[in-house]
Amino acid sequence: MHVGGDAYGSVRVNPRRDRRSARGARTRRRGLVIAGALSCLVLGSSGVTWALTNYATTKIEAVDAGVPGSRSSTGAMNILVVGVDKRDNLTRKQQNQLKLGRETGERTDTMMVIHVSEDHRKVTVVSLPRDTWTTVPGKGLHKINAAYQLGGPKLATRTVQTATGLTLHHYVEVNVLGFIEVVDALGGISVCTPVPINDPKTALDLQPGTYSFDGVKALAYARTRATARSDLDRIDRQQQVISALLNQALSGETLTNPIRLASFVDTTLDTIRVDDALRGDLLGLADQLKDVSTDDVAFATVPLADVDYKTPTGESAVLWDKEAARELFRRIAADETLVKPAKSAKPGKATPTPAASPTAPALTVAPSRIALSVLNGTTITGLGAQTRADLQRVGFQVPEVPGNTPQKDFEKTVIRYGPAREDSARTVAAALPGAELRPQESLGDRIEVVVGRKHAPAKKVTVKETAASPTPSATPAATPTARTATDNICKK
């Protein structure tokens, strides 16, 4: 699969079919694949084979997580998905291959709450940072990922319910190391990183760009914390990988290939444990979800107030923004969507924003307050370093040494930016005549200048700041935000 090209642009998603005549075996298979793909990575699956219900029921192990279940597969529901790191059954060779330590036992590597809307046409996935400092019932204050170690699935469920205020109806537990075989069963996935990653612990050494990974590499990419925002960046990568898995699982390459489809479903069944009620009604839930597309799956992360909290025990942890988190979970409990409907546009084409126009809003952020990075998108040696010096000359902060993009065919210079940095990006565009602005969700609060062959020298920009505006920082926004799986897929 290749769902990206230098990490920007758009992706085509097949439109939903409304005609009942088209809902046959293929839509049933599609629904079951969705149920499988949504939990993969956190990483696994709640899917079942499309025809052999009894086979799935006997193959999946049940677990008592203290959840009430639900009377049927209809209605809104909340599912706790816990990724558990189980190493006891690994050989020394496998541990070395995966760059794992020698520890035994089980620990939660990832925690997510999946909300299925009442009409089963929307799915919301909320990532819970593993370093969340919270109350573990009966155990006092701990990081949220300690709940499983202290009391297993039941205590993990109680802890998340206490923290979120949500009723959890079902529980899915995934062995994240089994995720390797799930990715390989799909033929691999493609991911894109907007920043360099150099992590000796996972043997990852990546420059910004798009990469095709097998299961081992995909797991390493999803687990590494070797970037500026550590676990918060890791959550973004995990959501990106889930989106790539979902996109690949719903592709024609999988749905029309019985061997690949069977291999994907079979391997996911081996990676999970679920509560008994869900185990008995997976087929019904999958049938309810058969019309869900990547446009209908939204990803969110709990808003944070402190990303560098020092606990009384000396650990580094994160604290939720209580008010914003309460609002996020209130909206989920009320079955409200977190993502605005996408504006209609021609599929397959991203519309670049003009770098500057006579009617553009006034610039509000001065170059001296803008930090950015530079990537050389051409084969011209030294163009990145030259552009970096040029931007520094006119007042921008460019602290990092320029990198290179995997693709070397950029004609125009492109300014890529996270949505929160639009005002700053307009200042950069004003300083680089002829450049194009491209918003990119995965960049978060970063700005990148990809230098093209027809690059013009930077010019000085004067900004009249009427009021002090907050300096962009790596601290996550308090307001609950979300993006769809379609937005999350690597784009070109």
Side-chain angles (χ1 to χ4, degrees), residues 229 371 417-421 441-447 472-476:
R229 295 165 68 242
Y417 64 94
R421 302 296 303 279
E441 291 277 355
S442 61
L443 280 177
D445 61 359
R446 298 183 292 275
I447 298 177
S473 71
T475 303

Side-chain angles (χ1 to χ4, degrees), residues 151-366:
K154 284 187 176 180
L155 188 56
T157 299
R158 288 179 59 201
T159 301
V160 174
Q161 287 187 145
T162 300
T164 64
L166 295 173
T167 297
L168 299 175
H169 303 95
H170 293 295
Y171 175 88
V172 176
E173 180 180 303
V174 183
N175 179 2
V176 296
L177 301 180
F179 164 73
I180 294 171
E181 293 182 357
V182 175
V183 173
D184 289 340
L186 287 173
I189 61 171
S190 287
V191 299
C192 49
T193 174
V195 297
I197 299 176
N198 186 1
D199 184 3
K201 293 182 179 179
T202 59
L204 282 182
D205 187 5
L206 308 175
Q207 292 300 312
T210 301
Y211 298 85
S212 295
F213 282 161
D214 61 10
V216 171
K217 283 289 188 181
L219 180 61
Y221 178 78
R223 300 185 71 182
T224 181
R225 301 171 80 174
T227 49
R229 295 165 68 242
S230 188
D231 191 49
L232 302 181
D233 281 341
R234 190 173 84 145
I235 286 175
D236 290 341
R237 284 189 290 273
Q238 289 180 346
Q239 292 181 349
Q240 181 193 130
V241 169
I242 295 173
S243 299
L245 280 168
L246 182 59
N247 185 70
Q248 177 71 339
L250 295 178
S251 70
E253 294 178 6
T254 300
L255 291 175
T256 61
N257 186 331
I259 295 177
R260 174 174 289 186
L261 183 58
S263 176
F264 164 66
V265 174
D266 197 53
T267 53
T268 59
L269 297 181
D270 286 330
T271 70
I272 66 173
R273 298 197 301 170
V274 304
D275 65 276
D276 196 59
L278 183 59
R279 178 171 172 259
D281 199 31
L282 277 170
L283 187 62
L285 175 60
D287 186 61
Q288 290 285 323
L289 293 173
K290 64 179 176 291
D291 286 330
V292 172
S293 73
T294 52
D295 286 332
D296 303 317
V297 181
F299 289 91
T301 303
V302 180
L304 303 178
D306 190 344
V307 299
D308 193 25
Y309 175 71
K310 298 300 180 185
T311 72
T313 57
E315 301 173 86
S316 294
V318 299
L319 296 179
W320 292 4
D321 184 300
K322 293 182 179 179
E323 184 177 345
R326 188 180 302 115
E327 172 63 11
L328 170 65
F329 294 116
R330 181 202 66 77
R331 293 177 63 183
I332 289 174
D335 207 30
E336 297 178 10
T337 181
L338 301 183
V339 179
K340 295 180 180 179
K343 296 180 180 179
S344 58
K346 293 182 179 180
K349 286 256 184 179
T351 305
T353 303
S357 70
T359 58
L363 302 179
T364 59
V365 185

